[in-house]
Amino acid sequence: MKPKDLVGVSVFLVAFGVYLKTMAPTVSFWDCGEFIATSHILGVPHPPGAPLFILVGRVFSMLLPIWDVARRVNFISVVASSLAVMLLYFVIVRLIRRIGTEGTPEWCCYVAGAVGALSLAFSYAFWFNAVEAEVYASSMFLTMLSLWLSLLWTERHDRPHADRLLLFLAYLIGLAGGVHLLCWLTVPTLFLLIWSTDRRPLKDWRLLGAGLLLFILGYSTYLAIFIRAGLDPAINENDPSTVHNFIQFLQRKQYGSESMLLGMFHRKASFSYQFGDMFLKYIFEQFPFPVPRWTVEFRAADGSSPYPVLVPLIPLLLAVFGMYYHARRNPRDFLAFFTFFLTTGVLLVLYLNMPQPQPRERFYVFVGAVAALSLYMGMGVIGLLEMFSKEAKKGVLIPISACFFVLPVNFFFAHYRTHINRSGNYIPYDYAYNLLVSCEPGGILFTNGDNDTFPLWFLQEVEGIRKDVRVVNLSLLNTPWYIKQLRDYEPKVPINLSDRQIDRLEPRVWPEDGKMELAGLSWELKGCAVYRPPYGKPIHFFRVQDLMVLRIIQQNNWKRPIYFAVTVSEDNKIGLQDYLVMEGMVYRLVRTKGKNRVNIAKMRKNLFEKYRYRGVKDPKVYKDKDTIRLLGNYRAAFVQLAYAYLQNGKKEEALETLRRADEQILMGWWGYYTAAQIALTAGSEEDGRKYLDKLVELMGEGSPDMWTSLAYLSEELGDTARAMEFYRRAIQMDPSYPQAYLGLAEILERRGKTQEAVEALKELARYRPEDTTLRKLILRLKGAR
């Protein structure tokens, strides 16, 4: 084996070993559950369907002789990502050889290729996709393969039958459309490479016609979607079994009628959000490097508070230098590959036109731009090695070359420790399991979105767990095809509408008095959608999903238990809150009315006996913001049960519930604060102090509100010295924060230190000179002296 190929295989093996070690052992959140399930049953996932991925997933799920189905489908991403990393290595080496590096040893090319390829391998977005059942890993493999083949053609274009490579590329790009359209963003790069190398194929109509036919042949994997939809698989999104439905499926009509091409000209968010808080933030997060330090605050995609991002100056400067070096040494190749960076980065931002806020972070969308930057980091390495080879002795190049591997090694440790390793992550599996086992046999469970739906589909269709429970996704409940499937597919949901009636469903204005009587229930409607015209009063109306919730309740007529997942928002419950009883991770619809009710026996059995919490407390299992948010539902359930015990005079049971929660789940700041209050009410100062200590450990920098809350809690525990310390922490953070001054002054007054209390209030008065109440309080304390 040639040294070049040996290094390439080594790069593959390093990536493969890391990805295999950190691969998710089962289903992950978001689309993974749907992709695993549809691969196993040859179902139809959400548009545009990814038929090639589903077909490959089916082969892996059937033929791989080890592991369970979820691991087998996850393994596709491990293999595809490792191959993509290796192909990027070969692309970098080929580009360097096309430049020519006179006076630089051949092995320096291999070092540059390996550094660039491993930098991609251990970037956040690429590694994240490499260990779960998602389409982006396979798409990146096909993208890298198309780039490598295009370079191969440019070197062999004058040989006999070289154009067969272009025909294969046409087929490959069509095939890639059956995984994800990301690969199509390579087309401008391929065109520029052909244009600058040999334009004859672009003028040969027979070659172009054959290429089009081969592209269509590759794209024909979508016929699998059409065929399987007609066989009514259990997961059959959009039911593309007719030509009309199939065309709408390809056009992604489920996500709106606006053309994505024309929609890019009507900005849905500011450029500062789309380019800064999304694209640039994601790019900066890919290649963490500790020095030099330059931190910028960006907003989260979901609109939550800004958080600091460390700008990796050295990796980015290396990539920029690589662009300069490439442009200077080979302008034609540079134009082609810089175009790849633009199309997968800047132009993709304009095209996607993502609105603000987003339901989740979208870093994976820009993985192509991350690959381009990794390529240019490799080009930067060879540029620097070429400079060093001219200025230094040959023997110095070896230690200098070794230093460049600090970059991917640093990326590896930074992301392995904090983000990527999912080898012990069973949280999505258990979350879905806990939702399903919360329901009585034959239950109907309303869910809200991807993370409380797709993992449940996986458990039902792949693992065969609780297939008697009908999961009803409220977002999909606005679509006619889904309503028909709920009516027709087992276990059937009572709807009693014809196809014609379902097709004619549309939003309706709700009653002016906002009253509703149905199935023996009487309540005031709340939530629903609101249209605010330019003039006149807002118009409240039922969405189709609201109408269907009402109809299902009516037609069911209490024959089967109906539940709402705790993730369902108040608006989506359309005012039924007073008829819902909490039983753990679900609320059950009941006939009687009441406020904030808990089925203590059922909830205790679920939380203490039925539910699984694998990895929730394990610090080695990474939990992103979305996961932590979902895990907050466990905390809320335990706290509600503790409150219910307390209200029923069962103080010991309340304390036991809090202790069990602390053992099993992530309590977080709010959980420990609430637990401390409950413990004090239950008469256990010992538990209250324990939870207060854990609160302090979680505080970090905190905020004035948080430190003041801890001070109040300390006062309840009788620890006034600690309360004063917390008040002073709050004042230190915000010298104008009134609650901290007032609390501190009150303690000082009780301790007989009136003068110190006066001084504290005078300090506050500097920030509130017009506050007459504060002046009166100061005068009162002075008089008390």
Side-chain angles (χ1 to χ4, degrees):
M1 186 179 292
K2 296 179 180 179
K4 170 179 68 73
D5 299 328
L6 183 62
V7 175
V9 171
S10 299
V11 167
F12 169 83
L13 291 176
V14 169
F16 181 81
V18 169
Y19 297 155
L20 186 63
K21 170 66 172 65
T22 57
M23 181 180 71
T26 183
V27 67
S28 299
F29 281 130
W30 299 107
D31 298 344
C32 300
E34 183 192 33
F35 281 132
I36 297 171
T38 50
S39 294
H40 185 61
I41 66 171
L42 280 183
V44 180
H46 64 277
L52 179 60
F53 182 87
I54 300 305
L55 292 170
V56 174
R58 176 59 175 163
V59 172
F60 271 67
S61 72
M62 286 193 308
L63 301 183
L64 206 63
I66 55 174
W67 301 323
D68 55 20
V69 171
R71 284 181 191 253
R72 294 173 188 174
V73 183
N74 289 341
F75 186 62
I76 297 173
S77 295
V78 170
V79 175
S81 296
S82 304
L83 289 171
V85 170
M86 182 181 69
L87 286 168
L88 179 60
Y89 161 81
F90 284 119
V91 167
I92 295 172
V93 170
R94 234 178 183 90
L95 287 175
I96 294 172
R97 283 183 165 180
R98 289 158 69 90
I99 290 173
T101 54
E102 295 181 6
T104 305
E106 178 75 9
W107 57 264
C108 290
C109 301
Y110 313 152
V111 170
V115 169
L118 292 175
S119 294
L120 173 66
F122 303 137
S123 65
Y124 175 65
F126 192 86
W127 193 350
F128 189 95
N129 294 325
V131 294
E132 65 178 17
E134 254 288 7
V135 295
Y136 293 96
S138 299
S139 179
M140 282 303 297
F141 161 64
L142 295 171
T143 298
M144 291 296 109
L145 181 58
S146 64
L147 292 176
W148 180 75
L149 287 172
S150 65
L151 288 177
L152 187 64
W153 174 83
T154 61
E155 296 168 9
R156 301 181 179 181
H157 70 95
D158 54 354
R159 297 184 186 181
H161 310 301
D163 289 346
R164 291 178 181 178
L165 271 175
L166 293 181
L167 294 176
F168 179 70
L169 266 172
Y171 174 73
L172 183 69
I173 292 172
L175 202 64
V179 176
H180 196 274
L181 302 186
L182 175 67
C183 189
W184 290 5
L185 297 179
T186 61
V187 171
T189 297
L190 305 184
F191 175 81
L192 288 172
L193 286 172
I194 296 171
W195 183 266
S196 63
T197 303
D198 184 353
R199 301 177 188 177
R200 287 177 298 174
L202 299 176
K203 300 175 183 178
D204 187 338
W205 292 104
R206 292 180 301 173
L207 180 63
L208 291 176
L212 178 61
L213 288 175
L214 286 168
F215 171 83
I216 294 172
L217 180 62
Y219 195 64
S220 67
T221 56
Y222 270 94
L223 291 177
I225 294 288
F226 184 74
I227 295 168
R228 285 300 299 170
L231 297 175
D232 294 331
I235 301 174
N236 188 9
E237 294 221 37
N238 289 71
D239 188 20
S241 56
T242 65
V243 174
H244 177 265
N245 286 1
F246 184 60
I247 293 172
Q248 288 203 322
F249 182 86
L250 295 179
Q251 294 176 338
R252 301 161 63 96
K253 290 296 185 182
Q254 176 177 322
Y255 306 112
S257 58
E258 183 183 37
S259 165
M260 291 189 71
L261 184 60
L262 298 177
M264 64 182 288
F265 297 106
H266 303 89
R267 305 315 298 168
K268 299 176 182 177
S270 66
F271 282 102
S272 64
Y273 173 77
Q274 293 178 338
F275 282 94
D277 295 304
M278 298 198 74
F279 178 63
L280 287 180
K281 179 185 71 174
Y282 296 146
I283 291 300
F284 292 160
E285 289 176 335
Q286 302 309 310
F287 308 111
F289 205 75
V291 290
R293 300 187 69 85
W294 179 30
T295 303
V296 179
E297 280 200 345
F298 290 102
R299 284 169 291 181
D302 60 5
S304 57
S305 302
Y307 63 91
V309 175
L310 185 66
V311 179
L313 289 179
I314 289 180
L316 291 180
L317 288 175
L318 181 63
V320 171
F321 175 72
M323 293 177 186
Y324 164 76
Y325 173 79
H326 197 201
R328 186 169 61 88
R329 297 296 302 272
N330 193 331
R332 291 183 176 181
D333 281 359
F334 168 76
L335 178 61
F337 280 85
F338 188 70
T339 299
F340 177 66
F341 172 69
L342 290 179
T343 54
T344 56
V346 178
L347 296 179
L348 190 60
V349 173
L350 294 173
Y351 172 71
L352 293 176
N353 192 16
M354 295 184 186
Q356 180 183 5
Q358 287 286 300
R360 63 179 293 198
E361 300 289 353
R362 302 290 188 181
F363 54 85
Y364 52 88
V365 173
F366 301 108
V367 68
V370 174
L373 285 175
S374 301
L375 182 151
Y376 279 115
M377 288 168 63
M379 298 301 290
V381 170
I382 193 62
L384 291 175
L385 288 178
E386 185 179 288
M387 292 170 54
F388 286 127
S389 68
K390 294 177 181 178
E391 302 294 334
K393 295 180 179 179
K394 299 288 184 181
V396 179
L397 282 179
I398 295 176
I400 291 176
S401 299
C403 289
F404 285 113
F405 284 98
V406 170
L407 290 172
V409 169
N410 182 80
F411 305 153
F412 169 83
F413 283 107
H415 288 144
Y416 183 87
R417 287 195 304 265
T418 59
H419 288 73
I420 303 298
N421 184 15
R422 277 182 272 173
S423 58
N425 191 351
Y426 291 88
I427 291 174
Y429 185 107
D430 290 350
Y431 190 88
Y433 177 86
N434 295 342
L435 275 170
L436 288 174
V437 299
S438 300
C439 303
E440 295 292 334
I444 298 171
L445 174 62
F446 290 110
T447 59
N448 197 57
D450 294 355
N451 285 339
D452 60 2
T453 302
F454 292 159
L456 279 68
W457 288 357
F458 159 77
L459 285 185
Q460 292 181 318
E461 301 305 323
V462 178
E463 304 286 287
I465 295 173
R466 294 305 306 273
K467 297 189 72 169
D468 61 293
V469 175
R470 180 43 124 165
V471 177
V472 180
N473 182 278
L474 290 171
S475 299
L476 298 178
L477 201 53
N478 290 295
T479 60
W481 62 266
Y482 186 63
I483 297 171
K484 293 173 186 175
Q485 289 178 6
L486 291 175
R487 181 197 63 188
D488 299 336
Y489 289 14
E490 293 290 348
K492 298 178 181 179
V493 175
I495 291 176
N496 195 25
L497 290 174
S498 67
D499 285 0
R500 179 180 175 84
Q501 290 172 316
I502 292 173
D503 289 334
R504 296 176 64 181
L505 284 171
E506 58 185 20
R508 290 168 49 185
V509 176
W510 70 0
E512 289 189 8
D513 59 5
K515 301 290 185 182
M516 175 60 65
E517 293 187 1
L518 189 75
L521 309 180
S522 176
W523 75 97
E524 182 179 348
L525 291 165
K526 295 179 182 177
C528 302
V530 181
Y531 170 65
R532 302 184 185 278
Y535 304 99
K537 297 180 179 179
I539 300 173
H540 296 258
F541 61 91
F542 292 106
R543 298 159 294 186
V544 172
Q545 71 176 64
D546 304 320
L547 295 171
M548 291 310 303
V549 168
L550 295 173
R551 185 162 194 88
I552 290 170
I553 293 172
Q554 179 189 50
Q555 294 295 311
N556 182 61
N557 197 26
W558 305 103
K559 295 173 185 175
R560 294 161 61 184
I562 291 179
Y563 302 88
F564 288 83
V566 293
T567 46
V568 175
S569 68
E570 297 300 308
D571 287 350
N572 287 342
K573 295 172 185 171
I574 57 176
L576 284 166
Q577 290 88 335
D578 290 347
Y579 287 101
L580 298 177
V581 176
M582 194 174 195
E583 294 186 352
M585 300 298 290
V586 297
Y587 292 96
R588 183 170 183 169
L589 185 70
V590 297
R591 297 172 186 261
T592 57
K593 204 169 187 177
K595 296 283 187 182
N596 302 321
R597 288 177 295 170
V598 170
N599 184 332
I600 293 179
K602 181 74 174 179
M603 201 158 172
R604 180 186 177 90
K605 186 175 184 63
N606 285 336
L607 293 176
F608 280 57
E609 300 176 22
K610 286 188 174 184
Y611 287 0
R612 300 172 177 175
Y613 308 97
R614 289 177 293 177
V616 172
K617 289 283 285 188
D618 187 351
K620 296 179 182 177
V621 175
Y622 172 69
K623 303 147 188 93
D624 60 18
K625 290 195 304 181
D626 296 310
T627 301
I628 291 173
R629 190 180 299 119
L630 279 172
L631 292 178
N633 294 316
Y634 289 147
R635 179 178 63 234
F638 273 104
V639 168
Q640 288 295 325
L641 180 59
Y643 268 130
Y645 274 130
L646 199 61
Q647 291 170 352
N648 283 272
K650 298 181 177 180
K651 297 181 179 180
E652 190 53 45
E653 286 83 352
L655 294 172
E656 180 192 8
T657 300
L658 296 177
R659 292 170 192 144
R660 178 63 70 94
D662 194 20
E663 293 172 1
Q664 299 281 7
I665 66 168
L666 294 175
M667 292 291 282
W669 194 90
W670 179 84
Y672 280 126
Y673 184 79
T674 309
Q677 290 183 316
I678 294 174
L680 287 174
T681 306
S684 176
E685 286 194 5
E686 179 184 353
D687 284 327
R689 291 181 187 278
K690 178 181 70 175
Y691 297 135
L692 176 60
D693 291 339
K694 294 190 175 185
L695 272 170
V696 176
E697 291 178 13
L698 290 176
M699 280 294 287
E701 185 178 352
S703 67
D705 283 338
M706 296 169 73
W707 285 113
T708 302
S709 297
L710 290 193
Y712 295 157
L713 193 57
S714 299
E715 286 194 75
E716 289 185 57
L717 287 165
D719 193 344
T720 55
R722 207 172 189 188
M724 292 171 64
E725 175 193 345
F726 294 151
Y727 282 132
R728 290 192 172 104
R729 289 271 192 98
I731 292 170
Q732 187 178 5
M733 293 194 69
D734 183 359
S736 64
Y737 189 69
Q739 287 84 352
Y741 284 103
L742 294 171
L744 178 61
E746 184 180 350
I747 293 178
L748 290 170
E749 182 186 10
R750 288 202 308 266
R751 287 189 161 194
K753 298 181 180 181
T754 310
Q755 180 59 36
E756 292 184 32
V758 170
E759 294 300 324
L761 294 178
K762 282 183 177 180
E763 183 66 22
L764 175 61
R766 290 173 51 197
Y767 301 96
R768 305 171 67 91
E770 306 299 325
D771 191 332
T772 57
T773 304
L774 179 59
R775 288 204 301 270
K776 290 178 181 179
L777 179 57
I778 293 173
L779 290 173
R780 182 183 67 77
L781 289 176
K782 284 183 176 180
R785 284 186 302 173

